[in-house]
Amino acid sequence: MTLRGCEAVIFLFAPVLQIALGTVTNVEEAVKWLSYTYLYVRMRANPLVYGINHKAFQMDPALELHRKELVVESGRKLDKARMIRFDERTCYFASTDLGRTASHFYIRYNTIETFNELFNSQKTEADILSIVSKAEEFDQLKVGGLMLNCLFIFM
């Protein structure tokens, strides 16, 4: 069950959005929802890339078991990050305020993990700004020219 970089991020974000919207409420619905995604199409076209051996693919060409494993594993991770509540006994999902906020503002799973790890009630405003600056969403942000000059003025 290996998803690479971007695929893993997208796969962990999409269920939060679907749970927050109420489209997906349990593992069965999530497995069905996953069958509508391009990830599923690619897994069926090239199962070896996604860690599905030939024998497993022959026994389960619809990848039902593999999709269920992905959903349950993601549910556990999202529950640990407090983005959803996942009851493994009943296989039901419930949205949390944090998950709804993350899905509404497109905050990535890794950013939420970082925030959960670093935030506590003893942080100063400077600490909070430092933590927010560690958000993955800022990785692609380019700073140059006039912005750099303004930063030097304020420092």
Side-chain angles (χ1 to χ4, degrees), residues 81-145:
R82 299 186 312 225
M83 295 176 78
I84 65 168
R85 287 290 152 238
F86 175 43
D87 184 350
E88 287 195 59
R89 189 179 53 77
T90 62
C91 294
Y92 272 85
F93 302 116
S95 185
T96 63
D97 289 338
L98 181 60
R100 280 188 292 277
T101 302
S103 68
H104 183 76
F105 293 104
Y106 299 96
I107 302 171
R108 296 179 185 166
Y109 167 79
N110 291 337
T111 296
I112 296 296
E113 269 195 322
T114 301
F115 288 177
N116 284 340
E117 183 182 313
L118 299 176
F119 270 116
N120 66 41
S121 61
Q122 307 301 317
K123 297 294 182 189
T124 65
E125 288 177 8
D127 294 334
I128 292 171
L129 283 173
S130 175
I131 293 169
V132 169
S133 73
K134 292 176 179 17
E136 267 193 10
E137 289 74 8
F138 296 127
D139 285 352
Q140 301 289 324
L141 194 63
K142 303 285 185 223
V143 179

Side-chain angles (χ1 to χ4, degrees), residues 8-72:
V9 169
I10 291 168
F11 185 74
L12 284 170
F13 176 74
V16 175
L17 179 60
Q18 298 306 315
I19 292 166
L21 291 171
T23 309
V24 170
T25 60
N26 59 46
V27 170
E28 184 182 329
E29 289 174 355
V31 169
K32 183 173 179 156
W33 174 84
L34 190 56
S35 71
Y36 303 131
T37 66
Y38 188 59
L39 173 63
Y40 173 68
V41 171
R42 290 188 352 232
M43 286 192 311
R44 289 200 55 197
N46 199 353
L48 291 174
V49 171
Y50 297 95
I52 305 165
N53 65 37
H54 183 69
K55 185 177 179 183
F57 185 63
Q58 291 296 327
M59 291 175 57
D60 184 19
L63 301 175
E64 187 90 18
L65 238 55
H66 188 73
R67 286 184 286 145
K68 185 174 181 176
E69 288 174 11
L70 282 173
V71 167
V72 169

